[in-house]
Amino acid sequence: MRKKTVGKRAVILFLAASVLLFIYLSTDPRQAARASAILIPDAEEEKNAEEKEPRKVGLSFDDGPHPTYTEQLLDGLKERGVKATFFVTGEHAALHPDIIRRMSEEGHLIGNHTYSHIQLNSSNREAFRKELIRTNEVISQITGKEVLYVRPPYGSWDKTLEEELNMFPVFWTVDPLDWCSSNASCIVQSVVREVEENDIILMHDYYDTSVTAALQIVDELLAEGYTFVTVEEILFD
């Protein structure tokens, strides 16, 4: 709809400019040229303004917090003014409550990644459910906030848990498989080449290479005009 509106406005402006040109050409050609220079660029300026609107992308991390690498990542994100989403395991959150508290205080979104990184299957639903509840309790006790988002390990999910636990699953659209690569440049290239507006990038803050790559990705995408938001802004805005 925006493109059509810009097109109609451009036509109207062009016609108006043409009339003014016809009138002024009979008197002073310099005035006509000045009038056309003032009127015609407006549509182009509006189009350019629309093209410069920031494109949103969500950067998310699983498996942490790690006592060293997550702190390094948080330092880098803070320096760049970037917010991310962290899906933490209850086990690691309980071991490093100060890092969880820092994530919350610095405006990052914290989600549930089960307690022990258990994968849901047909025979362990109740154990999986209990791990989600236990992890919610760990995170809430540290941050004082309700946990609404879950990233199920390996993407295995049961939709009935959404109503039972009042939680929303969050998956991903870009996966550079950073957990199995020791080459930060390859991870960066994989993401930058594939990412589009409103994508959710899956990474892990439990590996040195992943943190290095993540901050390079942030720098490159910021330079391309992207803005980083938490996953809830991607899902519900």
Side-chain angles (χ1 to χ4, degrees), residues 174 176-178 181 183-195 201 203 209-221 224:
V174 177
L177 300 176
D178 61 300
S181 175
N183 189 323
S185 295
C186 287
I187 297 171
V188 173
Q189 291 171 14
S190 176
V191 172
V192 172
R193 181 174 59 248
E194 185 178 349
V195 73
I201 303 167
M203 298 192 73
T209 305
S210 295
V211 171
T212 299
L215 294 177
Q216 291 180 16
I217 289 167
V218 168
D219 289 339
E220 291 209 23
L221 294 185
E224 290 185 16

Side-chain angles (χ1 to χ4, degrees), residues 62-63 87-89 111-115 117 132 135 150-153:
D62 289 5
D63 294 358
F87 293 97
V88 304
T89 65
N112 189 323
H113 200 47
T114 75
Y115 194 85
H117 205 270
L132 292 180
T135 302
V150 53
R151 172 164 288 158

Side-chain angles (χ1 to χ4, degrees), residues 1-30:
M1 294 300 292
R2 289 184 178 179
K3 291 182 179 179
K4 291 182 179 179
T5 301
V6 171
K8 290 179 179 178
R9 190 170 300 172
V11 171
I12 293 171
L13 289 169
F14 177 77
L15 292 174
S18 298
V19 172
L20 287 172
L21 283 170
F22 179 77
I23 295 172
Y24 285 123
L25 279 173
S26 62
T27 56
D28 187 347
R30 290 174 298 177

Side-chain angles (χ1 to χ4, degrees), residues 112-222:
N112 189 323
H113 200 47
T114 75
Y115 194 85
S116 65
H117 205 270
I118 184 176
Q119 181 176 9
L120 176 65
N121 59 46
S122 58
S123 63
N124 70 355
R125 183 186 187 279
E126 186 57 26
F128 182 88
R129 178 178 175 276
K130 287 180 178 179
E131 285 215 7
L132 292 180
I133 293 172
R134 185 179 181 187
T135 302
N136 281 351
E137 291 172 348
V138 170
I139 297 171
S140 295
Q141 286 173 4
I142 297 170
T143 65
K145 299 176 183 178
E146 183 181 9
V147 182
L148 296 175
Y149 301 97
V150 53
R151 172 164 288 158
Y154 310 102
S156 302
W157 184 243
D158 179 346
K159 283 189 68 65
T160 62
L161 290 169
E162 296 173 25
E163 186 172 348
E164 285 183 38
L165 302 177
N166 190 34
M167 298 187 74
F168 300 93
V170 179
F171 301 100
W172 55 89
T173 53
V174 177
D175 181 4
L177 300 176
D178 61 300
W179 57 272
C180 64
S181 175
S182 59
N183 189 323
S185 295
C186 287
I187 297 171
V188 173
Q189 291 171 14
S190 176
V191 172
V192 172
R193 181 174 59 248
E194 185 178 349
V195 73
E196 296 179 352
E197 185 175 9
N198 292 322
D199 271 336
I200 295 176
I201 303 167
L202 167 63
M203 298 192 73
H204 301 77
D205 56 324
Y206 219 75
Y207 308 97
D208 181 29
T209 305
S210 295
V211 171
T212 299
L215 294 177
Q216 291 180 16
I217 289 167
V218 168
D219 289 339
E220 291 209 23
L221 294 185
L222 285 174

